Amino acid sequence: MPSVWCALRTFHAHAAEMGYQELGSPRYFLKPWAALARPPAGCEIEIPDGVHHELELVIEIIEGQLQRVAIGLDLTDRVRQSEAKAAGMPWTRAKGFPNSAILGELVEPPVGLPSLRIELSINGEPRQEAAISEMAFSPLELLENLAQWAPLEDGDLLFCGTPAGVGPIHPGDHLQARLIRKDGTVLSEIEITAAPIRAD
């Protein structure tokens, strides 16, 4: 079964806003494949109240190579993550809940990958945006590093890290995340409304 790999602190401004030091080399964590969601445009999707959005470029890996790209949202239960870190414990629960890895349409990677931009708005207000060229480690550098030691499988996904501006999502919020060419062409998009978790 494929894996969902996630790179840490690949944008300096995000590391700074979280109070972390910049990394000298790439670092990763994993999400369960079952946490992945590919919602159709305009749908409602259950998201726990208050979890944080992290906008990311996502790459699909086939035969150890970058095959396709997409926009993605890595959702984080920041309270549980902080508590786990303070106790020196793993923070899988903070990153691995249902719908915590949201993926837009996968498309062929265009020429000039560093010139692409990622943008997120919530209720029409800009929240996160950055050029891929701003990353401390490029997507290809992340993949090259990961391939040196990780048991990669065809169909693996790599979430490439988030820029500054992370923050909470609440029920009823309308999220629009986009991967955009330099000329403004939208390559991949997520458009969803956050719905509260239904009680059993």
Side-chain angles (χ1 to χ4, degrees):
M1 177 176 290
S3 298
V4 180
W5 305 91
C6 303
L8 291 164
R9 303 185 212 169
T10 56
F11 286 88
H12 294 318
H14 172 60
E17 77 175 344
M18 300 301 295
Y20 299 138
Q21 293 185 345
E22 299 172 5
L23 294 174
S25 59
R27 297 288 187 274
Y28 311 87
F29 62 91
L30 284 162
K31 287 178 179 273
W33 188 257
L36 186 66
R38 303 185 188 198
C43 80
E44 287 192 346
I45 183 171
E46 290 187 349
I47 296 175
D49 185 19
V51 302
H52 280 206
H53 55 79
E54 298 190 15
L55 175 71
E56 310 203 11
L57 173 73
V58 182
I59 64 176
E60 180 189 45
I61 303 167
I62 301 291
E63 297 183 352
Q65 302 295 318
L66 189 161
Q67 181 72 16
R68 295 186 292 178
V69 297
I71 196 66
L73 290 171
D74 164 20
L75 303 188
T76 305
D77 186 329
R78 195 71 70 196
V79 173
R80 282 199 169 96
Q81 185 188 43
S82 298
E83 290 173 348
K85 286 183 175 181
M89 301 298 290
W91 27 276
T92 305
R93 185 174 178 182
K95 286 284 192 177
F97 52 89
N99 299 331
S100 62
I102 302 176
L103 186 68
E105 180 184 3
L106 287 158
V107 299
E108 296 296 321
V111 175
L113 193 61
S115 68
L116 299 182
R117 298 190 64 79
I118 54 176
E119 297 180 355
L120 171 68
S121 65
I122 298 183
N123 302 324
E125 298 181 2
R127 291 290 184 88
Q128 291 185 273
E129 63 87 21
I132 300 307
S133 61
E134 297 173 36
M135 293 175 62
F137 313 106
S138 73
L140 292 179
E141 288 172 335
L142 292 173
L143 179 53
E144 181 181 8
N145 176 272
L146 192 64
Q148 291 174 4
W149 60 269
L152 297 179
E153 295 187 21
D154 286 356
D156 278 3
L157 298 174
L158 172 57
F159 281 65
C160 293
T162 192
V166 301
I169 302 169
H170 301 294
D173 281 349
H174 180 261
L175 290 76
Q176 185 177 38
R178 304 189 301 174
L179 175 64
I180 306 172
R181 287 184 188 268
K182 192 173 183 179
D183 65 5
T185 303
V186 177
L187 297 175
S188 178
E189 185 173 23
I190 296 168
E191 185 179 357
I192 55 174
T193 297
I197 303 297
R198 291 192 296 268
D200 293 333

